Amino acid sequence: MPLSKKNPTSQKSWSSLKEVYNQENNLHINDYFKNENNRLENFTASLNDLYIDFSKNRISKKAFDLLIELCKETDLKENIDKYFNGSTINETENRSVLHTALRSKNSDSTEISEEVKNTLSKIRTISDEINNGVRRGYSGKKIENVVNIGIGGSHLGPEMVTEALSFYSQGIKPYFISNIDPDYTENLLKSLNPETTMFIIVSKTFTTIETLENAKKVRKWFINNVNEESIKDHFIAVSNNTEDPKEFGIESKNILSIPEWVGGRFSLWGSVGLIISICIGFKNFEDFLSGAREMDLHFKESHFEKNIPVVLALVSIWYNNFFNCETEAILPYNQFLGKLADYLQQASMESNGKSIDRNGNKVDYQTGTIIWGSTGTNAQHAFFQLMHQGTKLIPTDFIAFKESLSGDAEQHRILTSNFLAQTNALLVGNKKIGNEIQKNIDGNKPSNTILINKLTPKNLGSLIAMYESKIFVIGSILNIYSFDQWGVELGKSIAKEILKNGKSNLDKSSSQVYDKLI
Ligand code: F6P
C-alpha cells in the first residue's frame, strides 16, 4: 500500500493554523511562558539518554495542538506503519524503503532478515579480521589505513560517523575519496603505503561516474606500485550490482550487497557502514545500530505529542510553511560532530526538495528547507551575529552533551555554558533604546535544545535515526515523495552527455563556458 495522498493545505487544521499564525506571529516566546503554565511539561520529550526541549519556539500550545491534528488528518500513523512494514512507499521507483530493517531485530520478512544477518556477519568478519591482523596486505603487513571511495550517501554518512566516533577508534585510520578531483586523490595516494592500505569501493549502482573513475585511478596506482594479482587482497566492493566489481578484480567474498530497498542517503546502517565498523570495531557498530533501533521503536509507538521525530518535524513545518523561514541550522556543541550538518543536508534536502505532490500536482506551498550549520562554539564567532540581530528568522537545533568523553569537566563546563548562553540570549535578547539602539537585541529567536548524556555509538545511532524519521514525517505531511531524487539524476545524465557528445545539447551560455573551460 502506498502512502496516503492528502493535500495538507486542504485540511481543517491547516486553515486553523493560518488563523492562529495571523493572531500570534508577533508574540514573544516570553509571552508563551507567561501564559502557559505547563509549557515546559508540554514542550519536552525524552528517550533514554536524549532529552528534547522545544519550548523556546514561537509556537503556542494552541498551534501545537493543531499541528498534532494535522498529523492525524494526513494519516501520519498509517503512513508510519507503511514506512516500517515494507509497503512500496517509494512509488516513483517502485520500491519499499527499509533502511530501518538494517537495524531491526525482527523484520516481517524472513528474506530481508536473512539478507541483513548475512551482511552483518560479513561486516563483522572483515572488521574483526582487519583489526586483529588476521586479514593482512599482500606483503604480510598489518592493514593501517582504509580508504572509502564513494560519493553522496556512499560517503557522507560513513565520514560523518567515523569522525563523530573517532574517540572509539580501534587504530585503523579512515580516508575518503568522494569528489572527482585528481589533485586531491593524487595527493592522498602519495601519503599512503599500498602494503598497509585497504580500499572499499562503495556505490549502490556501481555506475556513478565520480566513484568509478576514482576507483580506476586508485586501481592503476595500485598496479603501478604493486601488481594486479594483489588487488584481491586490497579491494572490497559494496554495491547493489554484485557483477561489475568482479571485473574490477574483486573476489566474491569481498563483495557486500546493498539491497534495492535501501536508499543511498539512509544506507550507513548496513554494508555502506563497513568503514565505520572497521574503525570503531563491530561491537561499537552494533551499539550504534541498537541506538537507532530504540529511536525507531519510540517513533513507531509514542503518542505524537511526546514523539521526538514528530514534534521536531512539526516545529519545522510551522516555521517553513507559516513563518516562511527558508533555512534550519544544526549546531552541535561538539567538534566531533563537525560533519553532521553536511550529512543532514543530503538526508533532508535530497529527500524533501520536491515540488510535485503525491497526486502528481505542483505544490503551492513550501516543501524541504535549506539545512546548514556548524559546530558551537566556533559558529558563535562566525555567523551567530546574524542570528541575534539580523533580519532573518532561523530555526535552530542546538545539540549538547552532558559529559565530555575525556573527562575534562572544567573545559566541558565552558562549552556547555556557551551553549546555554546562546539559547538564552536568542530567546530573551537585550532591550536598548535611545543612543544605545544599535545594541538592541529583540530576542524571540527560536531554538530546539537537544541534550544527550554522552557521545556514544548508541546515542549517535539514536540521534541520526531521530533526524531520519523527522525527514519522513515532513515528507508524509507535505504529501511529497521523500525517497527518490530525480533532480540529481538529471545533472548526472547531462554530465555523461557532455563527456560523450561535447557541447551540442547545451544552452547558449553553457556552450560558451564549455569553449572556455574544456
Ligand atoms: O547524489 C545522488 C545520488 O544518487 C545519491 O542519492 C547517492 O547516495 C549517490 O548519488 C551515490 O550513488 P551510488 O551509491 O549509486 O554511487
Side-chain angles (χ1 to χ4, degrees), residues 151-154 203-205 208 264 346 350 488-489 492:
I151 196 164
S154 299
S203 174
K204 182 172 172 189
T205 53
T208 303
Q346 189 209 12
E350 204 166 85
V488 186
E489 306 303 342
K492 282 185 184 176

Side-chain angles (χ1 to χ4, degrees), residues 189-354:
L189 291 175
K190 260 192 247 156
S191 70
L192 294 172
N193 176 359
E195 287 178 280
T196 54
T197 305
M198 184 69 79
F199 296 93
I200 312 177
I201 306 166
V202 187
S203 174
K204 182 172 172 189
T205 53
F206 226 74
T207 58
T208 303
I209 192 158
E210 294 93 329
T211 303
L212 291 193
E213 289 301 319
N214 281 330
K216 269 195 233 160
K217 191 178 180 73
V218 172
R219 185 180 196 274
K220 203 162 145 203
W221 168 86
F222 188 85
I223 293 172
N224 285 343
N225 285 283
V226 186
N227 56 47
E228 192 164 350
E229 160 71 14
S230 302
I231 282 188
K232 63 174 182 9
D233 300 317
H234 287 264
F235 284 79
I236 295 172
V238 174
S239 185
N240 181 247
N241 171 347
T242 45
E243 282 312 303
D244 290 358
K246 288 183 192 153
E247 273 172 40
F248 193 91
I250 300 177
E251 289 192 323
S252 300
K253 69 163 191 183
N254 287 335
I255 302 174
L256 281 72
S257 70
I258 307 177
E260 199 186 65
W261 36 263
V262 175
R265 52 192 174 274
F266 302 108
S267 62
L268 81 180
W269 313 101
S271 49
V272 173
L274 177 62
I275 190 167
I276 302 173
S277 176
I278 293 172
C279 289
I280 64 174
F282 186 74
K283 166 78 191 55
N284 283 323
F285 187 66
E286 279 190 312
D287 285 351
F288 175 64
L289 298 185
S290 75
R293 180 159 62 241
E294 287 178 12
M295 182 56 74
D296 286 345
L297 275 179
H298 163 86
F299 176 51
K300 229 197 292 195
E301 290 170 2
S302 309
H303 291 302
F304 291 155
E305 290 83 350
K306 292 285 170 190
N307 191 316
I308 297 172
V310 172
V311 299
L312 292 179
L314 294 178
V315 170
S316 177
I317 287 177
W318 179 239
Y319 289 117
N320 183 22
N321 296 90
F322 295 89
F323 276 86
N324 289 323
C325 295
E326 297 260 311
T327 81
E328 271 173 42
I330 310 286
L331 301 166
Y333 273 62
N334 186 301
Q335 204 49 36
F336 288 120
L337 286 176
K339 299 214 162 65
L340 182 65
D342 289 358
Y343 167 77
L344 290 175
Q345 233 167 32
Q346 189 209 12
S348 179
M349 292 169 76
E350 204 166 85
S351 297
N352 289 336
K354 308 289 163 62

Side-chain angles (χ1 to χ4, degrees), residues 400-404 412 416 451-454:
F401 295 86
K402 208 170 144 189
E403 278 174 57
S404 83
H412 192 69
T416 49
L451 289 189
I452 305 175
N453 283 359
K454 203 170 171 176

Side-chain angles (χ1 to χ4, degrees), residues 17 54 57 59 63-72 74 76 304-305 307-322 328 448 470 473-474 477:
L17 279 163
F54 55 105
N57 278 298
I59 305 180
F64 182 62
D65 289 345
L66 286 167
L67 287 162
I68 297 285
E69 195 49 38
L70 178 66
C71 296
K72 293 177 187 156
T74 54
L76 181 60
F304 291 155
E305 290 83 350
N307 191 316
I308 297 172
V310 172
V311 299
L312 292 179
L314 294 178
V315 170
S316 177
I317 287 177
W318 179 239
Y319 289 117
N320 183 22
N321 296 90
F322 295 89
E328 271 173 42
N448 291 315
K470 171 186 167 182
V473 174
I474 293 172
I477 294 178

